[in-house]
Amino acid sequence: MNDIITWLLQDILTPVQNAATYVVGIANYWLWGDQTTYGILIFLLVIAGSWFSWRLKFIQILDFKHMFSLMRKSTKSDDAGISSFQALCTSLSARVGTGNLAGVAVAISLGGAGAIFWMWVIALLGMATGYAESVLGQVYKIKDSRGQFRGGPAYYIQQGIQNKAFAWLFALCLFFGYGFVFSAVQANTIADALNNTYELDTIYSGLGIVVLAALIVVGGLRAIARFAEYVVPFMGLTYVTVALVITIINIQLLPGVLYDIITSAFGLQEAGAGALAAAIKNGIQRGLYSNEAGSGSVPHAAAAASPEPNHPASQGYVQMLGVFIDTMVLCTCTAFIILLGTQTGIGEMEGIRLTQTAMEAHLGGVGGDFVAAAICLFAFTSVVANYAYGESNLHMFKLDNKFGRGFYTTGYLLMILWGSVASLPMVWAMADMALGMMTLVNIIAIFILTPTIVAVTNDYREKRKLNKKITFAQDDCLIQGELEEKEIWQSKT
């Protein structure tokens, strides 16, 4: 028996793992680059953010206050869709996870303090990109076998661009990323935090996550949305409060931290050009992993909503707010906690342990306990939200049934267990590749569908300007392609 196990490990599994590592490395090099070069997505994300900022007349700045005003009526829902607030919390529960605590630490470890500046830049530009993809998610949404709204890039690619193969490519990338790999990343971070703080064996952490996740996701999207609606505001406000207290206590150090962020961002310190490349690459990469703007994930949550007012643009504004909260608020909190509590530069990836070390420097032993609790909540909400994104695409493969959901759920839970015991660099590398592939497909799609995004946005702005009742019907403006379920946006007059 031992000989068989040894043979499997050495002759079968090891070569497969080595081959997978090689393929993942090559893919990430072209998608993201390395410490001294930029990959395709670094340029593509900046171009996309700049493009949509310009075409939408800098919507993230000029309509900044309007994002917040829409939250007053955001709790209404119906039988077909969740509320706008639930959709925001669901998207935030996927965004607010390891990217905010571990991802920021990784960015600072590998890119220095300057990576935070580039996180801010990509978030500001990404607000426009996030708006654009969320509008499309609403426009091209459908109803699943349960009569509930579903949508996302695969749906607007198939209907808007009318390219089924391209739609399937995105759906497969999303299944690989959000359905499986990203949940493994979240589980890895939870298990590592608990092991670092309490020396809890990672396999036990993994089993606990599997059981809790299964209890929630079995209720489908609505159960996940209800969970997110209560947990996300609580954990977000608590984390921001602690970060504010730490910043106020160390207020005399804040000018130096801000100076370090700015000078490092432009390679003005000793390391020069090498530091500049590392700061830009890691800031944009980890910023995207955190706020997900342009990756094509958030449109799944946006499409599931019955927005108020009932117009695709209103959900675009709500999800644009999500990018701001995630990166400009929560990631900045983590950055200040780390930079005010420890000295670090470009070096070996440290992940969540760097955040814990910094928090312990501020709060003593209780700091490690707080980060462990925070990462468990932050990352666990991401685990369950990731399930919802994958489930939304079952309809694309005609697996929107009991068998399809059972098969998907089993694979999802097994990946959580695997992620809790896997090595950190390999898990992050697979997550980077999955996110990069999704983003590449989605950015191309939303570029092609720019006329629809602009037309829907202009329709909303015109009705708002004229103080008309803001509703939407498919004949109100020119929409590319053909809607699969025309009755969703059928004129009621």
Side-chain angles (χ1 to χ4, degrees):
M1 186 66 181
N2 289 337
D3 291 340
I4 295 175
I5 294 175
T6 301
W7 173 74
L8 284 172
L9 290 174
Q10 293 183 353
D11 297 341
I12 303 296
L13 295 180
T14 299
V16 170
Q17 183 173 332
N18 290 340
T21 301
Y22 177 77
V23 171
V24 169
I26 294 295
N28 281 335
Y29 175 78
W30 285 103
L31 290 168
W32 297 110
D34 56 25
Q35 289 296 91
T36 58
T37 59
Y38 306 129
I40 297 169
L41 289 178
I42 303 297
F43 298 102
L44 198 59
L45 286 167
V46 173
I47 292 170
S50 303
W51 168 256
F52 287 111
S53 295
W54 173 61
R55 291 303 308 271
L56 298 172
K57 301 176 182 178
F58 296 95
I59 192 169
Q60 69 271 53
I61 298 173
L62 298 182
D63 288 350
F64 185 78
K65 289 175 61 178
H66 187 58
M67 294 189 303
F68 294 92
S69 68
L70 287 172
M71 299 309 297
R72 288 197 297 266
K73 298 180 180 179
S74 64
T75 57
K76 295 182 179 180
S77 63
D78 56 31
D79 292 338
I82 60 178
S83 70
S84 290
F85 182 68
Q86 287 178 324
L88 173 62
C89 288
T90 300
S91 67
L92 278 173
S93 67
R95 288 174 170 137
V96 180
T98 58
N100 300 87
L101 278 80
V104 173
V106 169
I108 294 174
S109 297
L110 299 180
I116 303 306
F117 175 85
W118 296 107
M119 263 195 179
W120 293 337
V121 170
I122 199 60
L124 184 62
L125 294 174
M127 288 172 72
T129 309
Y131 169 90
E133 61 183 356
S134 295
V135 166
L136 293 175
Q138 271 284 316
V139 170
Y140 295 99
K141 65 186 179 183
I142 58 95
K143 287 186 178 180
D144 65 9
S145 61
R146 299 172 176 174
Q148 297 175 359
F149 289 138
R150 287 286 188 270
Y155 296 87
Y156 55 70
I157 291 170
Q158 181 165 295
Q159 298 172 56
I161 303 176
Q162 297 188 311
N163 188 320
K164 191 170 185 178
F166 202 38
W168 277 41
L169 175 61
F170 179 88
L172 289 171
C173 290
L174 182 125
F175 270 128
F176 178 67
Y178 280 83
F180 304 116
V181 178
F182 290 173
S183 293
V185 171
Q186 310 292 353
N188 182 281
T189 304
I190 294 172
D192 189 42
L194 293 176
N195 178 263
N196 184 46
T197 305
Y198 306 113
E199 297 184 354
L200 181 65
D201 195 307
T202 54
I203 188 63
Y204 295 127
S205 298
L207 290 171
I209 300 166
V210 166
V211 171
L212 291 175
L215 291 174
I216 296 172
V217 302
V218 71
L221 178 61
R222 287 188 179 274
I224 293 169
R226 284 194 297 270
F227 172 78
E229 184 179 20
Y230 292 108
V231 174
V232 170
F234 167 76
M235 70 183 188
L237 288 172
T238 302
Y239 191 69
V240 170
T241 301
V242 171
L244 282 174
V245 170
I246 289 172
T247 303
I248 292 171
I249 292 173
N250 297 277
I251 196 69
Q252 74 279 4
L253 300 176
L254 189 58
V257 166
L258 293 173
Y259 177 81
D260 194 25
I261 289 173
I262 299 302
T263 55
S264 297
F266 294 96
L268 300 178
Q269 296 183 353
E270 296 81 5
L276 174 61
I280 295 175
K281 187 252 184 184
N282 286 284
I284 292 178
Q285 185 174 349
R286 293 302 156 204
L288 172 63
Y289 187 82
S290 179
N291 64 51
E292 302 179 9
S295 70
S297 59
V298 171
H300 296 91
S306 294
E308 179 62 37
N310 192 31
H311 194 290
S314 66
Q315 188 57 212
Y317 281 106
V318 169
Q319 295 301 339
M320 185 165 68
L321 177 60
V323 177
F324 177 82
I325 293 172
D326 173 87
T327 306
M328 304 304 288
V329 177
L330 294 173
C331 283
T332 300
C333 286
T334 300
F336 283 175
I337 289 169
I338 292 173
L339 295 174
L340 289 169
T342 186
Q343 297 295 319
T344 185
I346 301 172
E348 185 179 352
M349 185 191 310
E350 294 187 61
I352 192 62
R353 298 194 178 198
L354 176 58
T355 309
Q356 286 182 296
T357 300
M359 189 67 84
E360 287 172 355
H362 294 298
L363 304 179
V366 72
D369 295 330
F370 177 79
V371 172
I375 196 60
C376 285
L377 278 175
F378 278 47
F380 183 73
T381 57
S382 295
V383 168
V384 295
N386 290 347
Y387 175 90
Y389 290 169
E391 187 194 37
S392 294
N393 283 270
L394 291 175
H395 181 83
M396 291 296 302
F397 302 105
K398 302 192 184 302
L399 291 173
D400 183 20
N401 51 51
K402 187 175 182 180
F403 170 79
R405 281 189 287 270
F407 180 80
Y408 166 63
T409 303
T410 301
Y412 157 84
L413 294 174
L414 288 174
M415 283 298 291
I416 291 175
L417 187 61
W418 172 79
S420 66
V421 297
S423 65
L424 177 63
M426 183 57 184
V427 174
W428 275 104
M430 290 179 66
D432 288 340
M433 184 183 74
L435 184 65
M437 291 170 62
M438 282 176 51
T439 305
L440 184 62
V441 174
N442 183 59
I443 291 293
I444 292 171
I446 61 177
F447 267 130
I448 295 171
L449 292 169
T450 296
T452 296
I453 297 165
V454 173
V456 172
T457 302
N458 289 341
D459 177 74
Y460 182 91
R461 281 174 162 165
E462 187 67 21
K463 289 172 180 174
R464 184 181 168 215
K465 181 180 179 181
L466 297 174
N467 289 320
K468 289 184 177 181
K469 182 179 180 181
I470 300 178
T471 58
F472 181 74
Q474 65 183 73
D475 53 0
D476 286 351
C477 59
L478 184 63
I479 296 174
Q480 292 163 271
E482 186 174 352
L483 300 185
E484 181 179 324
E485 298 188 15
K486 297 180 176 63
E487 65 276 7
I488 291 177
W489 296 115
Q490 196 74 42
S491 175
K492 301 299 189 294
T493 59

